[in-house]
Amino acid sequence: GVRATIINVGGGLPVDYFAPPVPVAAQAQAVMTGQTPLENIAAALFDVLAAQPNPPTLMIEPGSRVIADAGVLLATVENVKRRVALDEHWLLLDAGFNTLLDTLAYSWYFHGVAADRADAPHDQPYRVSGPLCDGADVYHDAENLGRLPDHRYLPANMQAGDVIAFLDAGGYTLDQMHQYNGHPRAAAVMIMDDGNGTPALIRRRETYADLAAFDLPLA
């Protein structure tokens, strides 16, 4: 005899990290035009709820699909090297799994593009790694589990100072960022919806003084 006033149907819609991201607006359009099974689920829910004399409040948890697409990680190329024997080009970045922990924890794939040459052909294979002096600090499958690609395709002649944008990084990245091997955490910038796309600093970059802020001198 108890009537629920709130029904939470869950959600948890995942991000397809292995494909170029689809904008949230396009996903919503697909739902509304019946191009996805989500539309069938929504129709069934609404039909049942609409038939109730006092319909309960419907709650939906969209999951990381919405927030992931809203975040981009910008990483700077610090060094470029070539392993002649293997004919491999390596890019060493200033962001490793201390900044994007899911690359290590779950072997999640984050699509990367050259931020200042996004319209250039991305046809040169690179091995990509972070700065942590750790064998797992790579943007490919270090344990050969078959989950991540061995190489990332970016424009030819990538140089130190170039910026790589890793897409779909809005879910969990800020919360999981940590100071492994004494690396300060990165800053966070929000692009304001003010008609001009004004950038606003919402979290400052950590300093080395921050790393030692909780250390106490010996008595």
Side-chain angles (χ1 to χ4, degrees):
V2 177
R3 291 183 58 85
T5 58
I6 297 176
I7 294 180
N8 187 335
V9 297
L13 305 180
V15 178
D16 186 358
Y17 288 100
F18 288 89
V22 178
V24 172
Q27 295 173 3
Q29 181 66 22
V31 171
M32 291 187 293
T33 56
Q35 299 174 19
T36 168
L38 294 178
E39 190 273 346
N40 299 331
I41 298 173
L45 284 171
F46 292 148
D47 288 345
V48 172
L49 295 179
Q52 305 298 315
N54 294 302
T57 298
L58 180 65
M59 295 180 61
I60 299 174
E61 302 172 19
S64 58
R65 180 174 295 186
V66 173
I67 189 62
D69 192 42
V72 175
L73 171 66
L74 299 180
T76 301
V77 177
E78 297 287 342
N79 197 8
V80 180
K81 70 176 184 180
R82 183 184 179 193
R83 297 181 68 179
V84 177
L86 298 176
D87 193 25
E88 285 184 343
H89 294 79
W90 280 75
L91 301 178
L92 312 180
L93 310 183
D94 65 348
F97 66 71
N98 63 314
T99 308
L100 203 56
L101 182 61
D102 285 328
T103 58
L104 173 67
Y106 301 108
S107 292
W108 281 357
Y109 172 78
F110 294 88
H111 191 69
V113 297
D116 40 10
R117 286 192 284 163
D119 57 346
H122 285 49
D123 51 11
Q124 172 70 47
Y126 294 92
R127 291 271 193 167
V128 182
S129 71
L132 300 180
C133 194
D134 188 303
D137 190 30
V138 290
Y139 287 87
H140 52 268
D141 199 339
E143 298 183 1
N144 297 315
L145 299 178
R147 182 166 171 80
L148 295 177
D150 288 332
H151 297 82
R152 296 303 185 95
Y153 285 86
L154 294 160
N157 300 317
M158 292 288 289
Q159 302 292 327
D162 288 343
V163 175
I164 297 176
F166 289 100
L167 311 182
D168 286 325
Y172 308 110
T173 300
L174 282 178
D175 292 332
Q176 294 180 336
M177 205 176 298
H178 57 100
Q179 303 161 329
Y180 182 80
N181 270 1
H183 283 260
R185 287 175 288 192
V189 176
M190 178 178 289
I191 305 301
M192 305 299 292
D193 184 18
D194 59 359
N196 298 315
T198 304
L201 186 67
I202 60 173
R203 178 182 292 183
R204 68 169 176 83
R205 185 186 305 275
E206 276 188 333
T207 66
Y208 288 107
D210 293 325
L211 294 180
F214 292 96
D215 293 343
L216 299 176
L218 294 175

